[in-house]
mmCIF file of all heavy atoms in Angstrom:
data_model
loop_
_atom_site.group_PDB
_atom_site.id
_atom_site.type_symbol
_atom_site.label_atom_id
_atom_site.label_comp_id
_atom_site.label_asym_id
_atom_site.label_seq_id
_atom_site.Cartn_x
_atom_site.Cartn_y
_atom_site.Cartn_z
ATOM 1 N N GLN M 147 -18.721 12.529 -6.843
ATOM 2 C CA GLN M 147 -17.907 13.631 -6.303
ATOM 3 C C GLN M 147 -16.623 13.088 -5.696
ATOM 4 O O GLN M 147 -15.561 13.716 -5.809
ATOM 5 C CB GLN M 147 -18.711 14.404 -5.229
ATOM 6 C CG GLN M 147 -19.887 15.166 -5.775
ATOM 7 C CD GLN M 147 -20.584 15.949 -4.694
ATOM 8 O OE1 GLN M 147 -20.017 16.238 -3.647
ATOM 9 N NE2 GLN M 147 -21.847 16.283 -4.958
ATOM 10 N N ALA M 148 -16.706 11.952 -5.046
ATOM 11 C CA ALA M 148 -15.530 11.406 -4.343
ATOM 12 C C ALA M 148 -14.393 11.098 -5.355
ATOM 13 O O ALA M 148 -13.245 11.419 -5.110
ATOM 14 C CB ALA M 148 -15.917 10.141 -3.577
ATOM 15 N N VAL M 149 -14.723 10.476 -6.475
ATOM 16 C CA VAL M 149 -13.667 10.112 -7.408
ATOM 17 C C VAL M 149 -13.091 11.354 -8.116
ATOM 18 O O VAL M 149 -11.955 11.350 -8.532
ATOM 19 C CB VAL M 149 -14.146 9.069 -8.466
ATOM 20 C CG1 VAL M 149 -14.577 7.791 -7.795
ATOM 21 C CG2 VAL M 149 -15.301 9.608 -9.301
ATOM 22 N N ARG M 150 -13.896 12.420 -8.213
ATOM 23 C CA ARG M 150 -13.377 13.646 -8.800
ATOM 24 C C ARG M 150 -12.463 14.423 -7.869
ATOM 25 O O ARG M 150 -11.609 15.168 -8.305
ATOM 26 C CB ARG M 150 -14.558 14.562 -9.247
ATOM 27 C CG ARG M 150 -15.291 14.063 -10.486
ATOM 28 C CD ARG M 150 -16.137 15.177 -11.088
ATOM 29 N NE ARG M 150 -17.184 15.614 -10.193
ATOM 30 C CZ ARG M 150 -18.411 15.092 -10.154
ATOM 31 N NH1 ARG M 150 -18.718 14.092 -10.971
ATOM 32 N NH2 ARG M 150 -19.308 15.549 -9.362
ATOM 33 N N ARG M 151 -12.636 14.179 -6.553
ATOM 34 C CA ARG M 151 -11.852 14.927 -5.582
ATOM 35 C C ARG M 151 -10.602 14.195 -5.135
ATOM 36 O O ARG M 151 -9.835 14.728 -4.349
ATOM 37 C CB ARG M 151 -12.709 15.265 -4.340
ATOM 38 C CG ARG M 151 -13.833 16.231 -4.586
ATOM 39 C CD ARG M 151 -14.261 16.874 -3.279
ATOM 40 N NE ARG M 151 -14.575 15.903 -2.260
ATOM 41 C CZ ARG M 151 -15.758 15.329 -2.078
ATOM 42 N NH1 ARG M 151 -16.740 15.626 -2.881
ATOM 43 N NH2 ARG M 151 -15.963 14.474 -1.090
ATOM 44 N N THR M 152 -10.418 12.981 -5.581
ATOM 45 C CA THR M 152 -9.274 12.205 -5.103
ATOM 46 C C THR M 152 -8.160 12.154 -6.162
ATOM 47 O O THR M 152 -8.392 12.416 -7.332
ATOM 48 C CB THR M 152 -9.692 10.768 -4.730
ATOM 49 O OG1 THR M 152 -8.636 10.151 -3.964
ATOM 50 C CG2 THR M 152 -9.951 9.935 -5.978
ATOM 51 N N ASP M 153 -6.940 11.888 -5.698
ATOM 52 C CA ASP M 153 -5.801 11.781 -6.594
ATOM 53 C C ASP M 153 -5.552 10.374 -7.084
ATOM 54 O O ASP M 153 -4.969 10.159 -8.152
ATOM 55 C CB ASP M 153 -4.527 12.297 -5.887
ATOM 56 C CG ASP M 153 -4.630 13.754 -5.562
ATOM 57 O OD1 ASP M 153 -4.591 14.584 -6.451
ATOM 58 O OD2 ASP M 153 -4.785 14.050 -4.327
ATOM 59 N N HIS M 154 -5.961 9.369 -6.287
ATOM 60 C CA HIS M 154 -5.694 7.989 -6.651
ATOM 61 C C HIS M 154 -6.728 7.111 -5.994
ATOM 62 O O HIS M 154 -7.248 7.427 -4.928
ATOM 63 C CB HIS M 154 -4.277 7.583 -6.197
ATOM 64 C CG HIS M 154 -3.740 6.423 -7.009
ATOM 65 N ND1 HIS M 154 -3.170 6.607 -8.252
ATOM 66 C CD2 HIS M 154 -3.699 5.091 -6.759
ATOM 67 C CE1 HIS M 154 -2.750 5.431 -8.724
ATOM 68 N NE2 HIS M 154 -3.098 4.499 -7.837
ATOM 69 N N ILE M 155 -6.984 5.989 -6.660
ATOM 70 C CA ILE M 155 -7.995 5.016 -6.163
ATOM 71 C C ILE M 155 -7.359 3.649 -6.023
ATOM 72 O O ILE M 155 -6.621 3.187 -6.892
ATOM 73 C CB ILE M 155 -9.186 4.933 -7.141
ATOM 74 C CG1 ILE M 155 -9.917 6.291 -7.230
ATOM 75 C CG2 ILE M 155 -10.179 3.860 -6.693
ATOM 76 C CD1 ILE M 155 -10.968 6.337 -8.299
ATOM 77 N N ILE M 156 -7.645 3.014 -4.907
ATOM 78 C CA ILE M 156 -7.240 1.604 -4.683
ATOM 79 C C ILE M 156 -8.488 0.747 -4.905
ATOM 80 O O ILE M 156 -9.520 0.978 -4.266
ATOM 81 C CB ILE M 156 -6.667 1.390 -3.288
ATOM 82 C CG1 ILE M 156 -5.373 2.185 -3.134
ATOM 83 C CG2 ILE M 156 -6.437 -0.091 -2.993
ATOM 84 C CD1 ILE M 156 -4.890 2.275 -1.709
ATOM 85 N N ALA M 157 -8.385 -0.230 -5.776
ATOM 86 C CA ALA M 157 -9.446 -1.228 -5.969
ATOM 87 C C ALA M 157 -8.980 -2.553 -5.384
ATOM 88 O O ALA M 157 -7.795 -2.866 -5.432
ATOM 89 C CB ALA M 157 -9.789 -1.390 -7.447
ATOM 90 N N VAL M 158 -9.903 -3.315 -4.848
ATOM 91 C CA VAL M 158 -9.508 -4.563 -4.164
ATOM 92 C C VAL M 158 -9.557 -5.759 -5.114
ATOM 93 O O VAL M 158 -9.233 -6.873 -4.698
ATOM 94 C CB VAL M 158 -10.387 -4.852 -2.930
ATOM 95 C CG1 VAL M 158 -10.283 -3.734 -1.925
ATOM 96 C CG2 VAL M 158 -11.833 -5.092 -3.325
ATOM 97 N N SER M 159 -9.920 -5.544 -6.397
ATOM 98 C CA SER M 159 -9.928 -6.654 -7.332
ATOM 99 C C SER M 159 -9.904 -6.098 -8.744
ATOM 100 O O SER M 159 -10.200 -4.908 -8.982
ATOM 101 C CB SER M 159 -11.165 -7.544 -7.173
ATOM 102 O OG SER M 159 -12.324 -6.837 -7.566
ATOM 103 N N GLU M 160 -9.531 -6.954 -9.692
ATOM 104 C CA GLU M 160 -9.525 -6.525 -11.099
ATOM 105 C C GLU M 160 -10.948 -6.225 -11.568
ATOM 106 O O GLU M 160 -11.171 -5.300 -12.364
ATOM 107 C CB GLU M 160 -8.926 -7.614 -11.986
ATOM 108 C CG GLU M 160 -7.416 -7.780 -11.825
ATOM 109 C CD GLU M 160 -6.653 -6.589 -12.372
ATOM 110 O OE1 GLU M 160 -7.217 -5.829 -13.191
ATOM 111 O OE2 GLU M 160 -5.480 -6.394 -11.965
ATOM 112 N N SER M 161 -11.940 -6.977 -11.090
ATOM 113 C CA SER M 161 -13.303 -6.729 -11.482
ATOM 114 C C SER M 161 -13.780 -5.358 -11.004
ATOM 115 O O SER M 161 -14.481 -4.643 -11.703
ATOM 116 C CB SER M 161 -14.235 -7.839 -11.005
ATOM 117 O OG SER M 161 -14.259 -7.892 -9.597
ATOM 118 N N THR M 162 -13.411 -4.991 -9.752
ATOM 119 C CA THR M 162 -13.730 -3.661 -9.240
ATOM 120 C C THR M 162 -13.065 -2.580 -10.096
ATOM 121 O O THR M 162 -13.666 -1.556 -10.413
ATOM 122 C CB THR M 162 -13.333 -3.542 -7.774
ATOM 123 O OG1 THR M 162 -14.041 -4.520 -7.018
ATOM 124 C CG2 THR M 162 -13.684 -2.157 -7.267
ATOM 125 N N ARG M 163 -11.802 -2.807 -10.466
ATOM 126 C CA ARG M 163 -11.121 -1.820 -11.309
ATOM 127 C C ARG M 163 -11.888 -1.653 -12.607
ATOM 128 O O ARG M 163 -12.087 -0.498 -13.059
ATOM 129 C CB ARG M 163 -9.694 -2.301 -11.601
ATOM 130 C CG ARG M 163 -8.931 -1.334 -12.527
ATOM 131 C CD ARG M 163 -7.627 -1.980 -13.032
ATOM 132 N NE ARG M 163 -7.873 -3.154 -13.827
ATOM 133 C CZ ARG M 163 -8.269 -3.145 -15.086
ATOM 134 N NH1 ARG M 163 -8.483 -2.000 -15.699
ATOM 135 N NH2 ARG M 163 -8.496 -4.259 -15.744
ATOM 136 N N ARG M 164 -12.281 -2.750 -13.234
ATOM 137 C CA ARG M 164 -13.019 -2.641 -14.510
ATOM 138 C C ARG M 164 -14.349 -1.877 -14.310
ATOM 139 O O ARG M 164 -14.726 -1.059 -15.137
ATOM 140 C CB ARG M 164 -13.285 -4.014 -15.083
ATOM 141 C CG ARG M 164 -12.042 -4.738 -15.627
ATOM 142 C CD ARG M 164 -12.409 -5.948 -16.415
ATOM 143 N NE ARG M 164 -13.025 -6.974 -15.618
ATOM 144 C CZ ARG M 164 -12.366 -7.950 -15.024
ATOM 145 N NH1 ARG M 164 -11.045 -8.050 -15.154
ATOM 146 N NH2 ARG M 164 -13.009 -8.866 -14.319
ATOM 147 N N ASP M 165 -15.022 -2.148 -13.197
ATOM 148 C CA ASP M 165 -16.271 -1.439 -12.932
ATOM 149 C C ASP M 165 -16.043 0.057 -12.722
ATOM 150 O O ASP M 165 -16.848 0.884 -13.155
ATOM 151 C CB ASP M 165 -16.954 -2.021 -11.673
ATOM 152 C CG ASP M 165 -17.561 -3.388 -11.929
ATOM 153 O OD1 ASP M 165 -17.740 -3.753 -13.090
ATOM 154 O OD2 ASP M 165 -17.806 -4.107 -10.941
ATOM 155 N N ILE M 166 -14.962 0.422 -12.058
ATOM 156 C CA ILE M 166 -14.669 1.834 -11.830
ATOM 157 C C ILE M 166 -14.419 2.536 -13.161
ATOM 158 O O ILE M 166 -14.932 3.649 -13.393
ATOM 159 C CB ILE M 166 -13.441 1.981 -10.898
ATOM 160 C CG1 ILE M 166 -13.750 1.463 -9.494
ATOM 161 C CG2 ILE M 166 -12.982 3.454 -10.812
ATOM 162 C CD1 ILE M 166 -12.548 1.338 -8.577
ATOM 163 N N VAL M 167 -13.654 1.899 -14.032
ATOM 164 C CA VAL M 167 -13.410 2.485 -15.356
ATOM 165 C C VAL M 167 -14.697 2.617 -16.137
ATOM 166 O O VAL M 167 -15.000 3.651 -16.732
ATOM 167 C CB VAL M 167 -12.354 1.668 -16.117
ATOM 168 C CG1 VAL M 167 -12.223 2.150 -17.544
ATOM 169 C CG2 VAL M 167 -11.016 1.673 -15.412
ATOM 170 N N ARG M 168 -15.491 1.541 -16.134
ATOM 171 C CA ARG M 168 -16.684 1.479 -16.965
ATOM 172 C C ARG M 168 -17.820 2.352 -16.447
ATOM 173 O O ARG M 168 -18.460 3.097 -17.221
ATOM 174 C CB ARG M 168 -17.169 0.013 -17.068
ATOM 175 C CG ARG M 168 -18.324 -0.212 -18.020
ATOM 176 C CD ARG M 168 -18.630 -1.671 -18.205
ATOM 177 N NE ARG M 168 -19.286 -2.241 -17.040
ATOM 178 C CZ ARG M 168 -18.723 -3.075 -16.187
ATOM 179 N NH1 ARG M 168 -17.478 -3.461 -16.381
ATOM 180 N NH2 ARG M 168 -19.382 -3.541 -15.157
ATOM 181 N N LEU M 169 -18.046 2.321 -15.148
ATOM 182 C CA LEU M 169 -19.229 2.996 -14.587
ATOM 183 C C LEU M 169 -18.941 4.433 -14.151
ATOM 184 O O LEU M 169 -19.856 5.266 -14.132
ATOM 185 C CB LEU M 169 -19.760 2.194 -13.387
ATOM 186 C CG LEU M 169 -20.199 0.756 -13.687
ATOM 187 C CD1 LEU M 169 -20.654 0.083 -12.429
ATOM 188 C CD2 LEU M 169 -21.305 0.765 -14.719
ATOM 189 N N LEU M 170 -17.677 4.705 -13.806
ATOM 190 C CA LEU M 170 -17.369 6.063 -13.299
ATOM 191 C C LEU M 170 -16.464 6.837 -14.235
ATOM 192 O O LEU M 170 -16.176 8.015 -13.985
ATOM 193 C CB LEU M 170 -16.708 5.968 -11.906
ATOM 194 C CG LEU M 170 -17.567 5.299 -10.812
ATOM 195 C CD1 LEU M 170 -16.780 5.145 -9.537
ATOM 196 C CD2 LEU M 170 -18.829 6.113 -10.552
ATOM 197 N N GLY M 171 -15.991 6.210 -15.319
ATOM 198 C CA GLY M 171 -15.172 6.935 -16.276
ATOM 199 C C GLY M 171 -13.804 7.335 -15.800
ATOM 200 O O GLY M 171 -13.246 8.310 -16.278
ATOM 201 N N VAL M 172 -13.264 6.594 -14.793
ATOM 202 C CA VAL M 172 -11.972 6.928 -14.233
ATOM 203 C C VAL M 172 -10.856 6.358 -15.121
ATOM 204 O O VAL M 172 -10.940 5.189 -15.514
ATOM 205 C CB VAL M 172 -11.846 6.401 -12.794
ATOM 206 C CG1 VAL M 172 -10.475 6.653 -12.238
ATOM 207 C CG2 VAL M 172 -12.913 7.021 -11.919
ATOM 208 N N PRO M 173 -9.805 7.138 -15.450
ATOM 209 C CA PRO M 173 -8.680 6.590 -16.210
ATOM 210 C C PRO M 173 -8.011 5.429 -15.480
ATOM 211 O O PRO M 173 -7.854 5.465 -14.257
ATOM 212 C CB PRO M 173 -7.758 7.777 -16.364
ATOM 213 C CG PRO M 173 -8.577 8.995 -16.111
ATOM 214 C CD PRO M 173 -9.621 8.553 -15.133
ATOM 215 N N GLU M 174 -7.604 4.398 -16.220
ATOM 216 C CA GLU M 174 -7.002 3.232 -15.626
ATOM 217 C C GLU M 174 -5.733 3.578 -14.822
ATOM 218 O O GLU M 174 -5.482 2.939 -13.793
ATOM 219 C CB GLU M 174 -6.679 2.195 -16.682
ATOM 220 C CG GLU M 174 -7.877 1.491 -17.264
ATOM 221 C CD GLU M 174 -7.529 0.247 -18.031
ATOM 222 O OE1 GLU M 174 -6.375 -0.250 -17.903
ATOM 223 O OE2 GLU M 174 -8.367 -0.257 -18.749
ATOM 224 N N GLN M 175 -4.971 4.539 -15.324
ATOM 225 C CA GLN M 175 -3.716 4.882 -14.636
ATOM 226 C C GLN M 175 -3.945 5.490 -13.261
ATOM 227 O O GLN M 175 -3.002 5.629 -12.481
ATOM 228 C CB GLN M 175 -2.853 5.773 -15.477
ATOM 229 C CG GLN M 175 -3.480 7.147 -15.804
ATOM 230 C CD GLN M 175 -4.265 7.137 -17.099
ATOM 231 O OE1 GLN M 175 -4.753 6.090 -17.521
ATOM 232 N NE2 GLN M 175 -4.420 8.302 -17.719
ATOM 233 N N MET M 176 -5.164 5.831 -12.947
ATOM 234 C CA MET M 176 -5.501 6.435 -11.658
ATOM 235 C C MET M 176 -5.845 5.383 -10.617
ATOM 236 O O MET M 176 -6.078 5.688 -9.449
ATOM 237 C CB MET M 176 -6.660 7.404 -11.851
ATOM 238 C CG MET M 176 -6.980 8.300 -10.675
ATOM 239 S SD MET M 176 -8.318 9.466 -11.116
ATOM 240 C CE MET M 176 -8.819 9.982 -9.476
ATOM 241 N N ILE M 177 -5.840 4.109 -11.032
ATOM 242 C CA ILE M 177 -6.314 2.997 -10.168
ATOM 243 C C ILE M 177 -5.185 2.017 -9.931
ATOM 244 O O ILE M 177 -4.516 1.606 -10.875
ATOM 245 C CB ILE M 177 -7.508 2.288 -10.789
ATOM 246 C CG1 ILE M 177 -8.621 3.279 -11.155
ATOM 247 C CG2 ILE M 177 -8.067 1.222 -9.833
ATOM 248 C CD1 ILE M 177 -9.713 2.669 -12.027
ATOM 249 N N THR M 178 -5.006 1.634 -8.701
ATOM 250 C CA THR M 178 -4.090 0.532 -8.315
ATOM 251 C C THR M 178 -4.892 -0.594 -7.740
ATOM 252 O O THR M 178 -5.762 -0.366 -6.901
ATOM 253 C CB THR M 178 -3.035 1.000 -7.290
ATOM 254 O OG1 THR M 178 -2.203 2.011 -7.877
ATOM 255 C CG2 THR M 178 -2.135 -0.159 -6.854
ATOM 256 N N VAL M 179 -4.662 -1.810 -8.210
ATOM 257 C CA VAL M 179 -5.391 -2.986 -7.702
ATOM 258 C C VAL M 179 -4.522 -3.674 -6.643
ATOM 259 O O VAL M 179 -3.360 -4.000 -6.911
ATOM 260 C CB VAL M 179 -5.705 -3.963 -8.837
ATOM 261 C CG1 VAL M 179 -6.400 -5.197 -8.263
ATOM 262 C CG2 VAL M 179 -6.615 -3.296 -9.844
ATOM 263 N N ILE M 180 -5.059 -3.849 -5.477
ATOM 264 C CA ILE M 180 -4.487 -4.745 -4.498
ATOM 265 C C ILE M 180 -5.376 -5.969 -4.502
ATOM 266 O O ILE M 180 -6.491 -5.937 -3.973
ATOM 267 C CB ILE M 180 -4.370 -4.091 -3.113
ATOM 268 C CG1 ILE M 180 -3.426 -2.882 -3.196
ATOM 269 C CG2 ILE M 180 -3.897 -5.084 -2.071
ATOM 270 C CD1 ILE M 180 -3.180 -2.192 -1.891
ATOM 271 N N HIS M 181 -4.932 -7.018 -5.132
ATOM 272 C CA HIS M 181 -5.770 -8.149 -5.578
ATOM 273 C C HIS M 181 -6.278 -8.961 -4.423
ATOM 274 O O HIS M 181 -5.611 -9.130 -3.401
ATOM 275 C CB HIS M 181 -4.950 -9.030 -6.538
ATOM 276 C CG HIS M 181 -5.783 -9.705 -7.554
ATOM 277 N ND1 HIS M 181 -6.493 -10.823 -7.305
ATOM 278 C CD2 HIS M 181 -6.030 -9.382 -8.855
ATOM 279 C CE1 HIS M 181 -7.112 -11.199 -8.396
ATOM 280 N NE2 HIS M 181 -6.842 -10.334 -9.357
ATOM 281 N N GLU M 182 -7.486 -9.555 -4.613
ATOM 282 C CA GLU M 182 -8.092 -10.321 -3.525
ATOM 283 C C GLU M 182 -8.190 -11.830 -3.850
ATOM 284 O O GLU M 182 -8.805 -12.590 -3.113
ATOM 285 C CB GLU M 182 -9.487 -9.788 -3.227
ATOM 286 C CG GLU M 182 -10.503 -10.023 -4.368
ATOM 287 C CD GLU M 182 -11.907 -9.602 -3.976
ATOM 288 O OE1 GLU M 182 -12.097 -9.098 -2.871
ATOM 289 O OE2 GLU M 182 -12.780 -9.797 -4.807
ATOM 290 N N ALA M 183 -7.544 -12.263 -4.944
ATOM 291 C CA ALA M 183 -7.757 -13.638 -5.403
ATOM 292 C C ALA M 183 -7.133 -14.714 -4.513
ATOM 293 O O ALA M 183 -7.773 -15.679 -4.167
ATOM 294 C CB ALA M 183 -7.340 -13.793 -6.841
#
Side-chain angles (χ1 to χ4, degrees):
Q147 293 183 20
V149 298
R150 287 197 296 270
R151 292 200 308 272
T152 194
D153 297 289
H154 204 81
I155 297 172
I156 295 168
V158 301
S159 68
E160 288 293 339
S161 62
T162 299
R163 179 192 62 78
R164 289 192 295 268
D165 287 342
I166 294 170
V167 173
R168 186 173 73 251
L169 300 178
L170 299 176
V172 176
E174 288 194 15
Q175 63 268 25
M176 191 176 162
I177 307 168
T178 296
V179 177
I180 297 183
H181 211 279
E182 67 175 2

